[in-house]
Amino acid sequence: MSIVGVITMIFVWPSPPNPPSISAFNRLSMVGEAPLKTQLKWLFTSRDFIFLLLTYALIYSVYSSMGAIVGLLINKFNYLAWTASAGGACFIIFGIIGILVHGFIADKYKKYWFQLILINLCSLASMVFCLFFFGKGVFLACLACTLIGLNMIPITSHGPTCVGLVADDL
């Protein structure tokens, strides 16, 4: 890793030659070469940034928590050990499928605010399903893990992209 880091520091530019978007250009011209303290104050007093930061943080924390407690839930409902493995496999496999599906939707329609709301609503529906049906049998437990993976794993890949692009649009 250290060799890759040294090569990266030597050959990769610290910033692009041009701003990546019009809003980034406007932000640069608005903030200019202000000190970091001023830029951070501007960032953390932006209502839009705070809203998007909280939205992303809440969804990501729920997703991370579910990954950590699924084993405890399996034990709580007296399922066998293979159920935890099957639920974990469903979580990961359908999470990858969810990333592809949400990525396709974001690329095709370029509606990033809608995409962020869609991921949040699907995540909420998955949690409600898990709340009511996780303890009703192995099939429903695996289906709950499938829905959580399908709808919550995309927040780790598409969440920052959508949040960034929505912030550019605001």
Side-chain angles (χ1 to χ4, degrees), residues 1-105:
M1 289 298 276
S2 61
I3 294 172
V4 173
V6 169
I7 292 171
T8 302
M9 286 189 296
I10 292 171
F11 292 108
V12 174
W13 293 95
S15 64
N18 298 322
S21 67
I22 294 172
S23 63
F25 177 76
N26 292 339
R27 196 172 301 127
L28 280 175
S29 63
M30 185 171 65
V31 176
E33 293 296 323
L36 179 62
K37 185 177 178 181
T38 304
Q39 291 181 12
L40 288 175
K41 182 180 176 191
W42 177 78
L43 180 66
F44 286 106
T45 55
S46 169
R47 179 183 55 87
D48 299 326
F49 173 76
I50 298 296
F51 172 72
L52 292 171
L53 176 73
L54 290 176
T55 301
Y56 178 72
L58 288 173
I59 291 295
Y60 189 75
S61 63
V62 169
Y63 153 76
S64 297
S65 300
M66 284 305 297
I69 66 168
V70 74
L72 296 172
L73 286 174
I74 295 292
N75 291 336
K76 169 85 170 130
F77 292 108
N78 298 321
Y79 293 133
L80 299 175
W82 69 268
T83 308
S85 299
C90 290
F91 182 76
I92 292 169
I93 291 168
F94 282 92
I96 293 169
I97 292 169
I99 288 171
L100 295 173
V101 168
H102 285 287
F104 175 76
I105 293 170

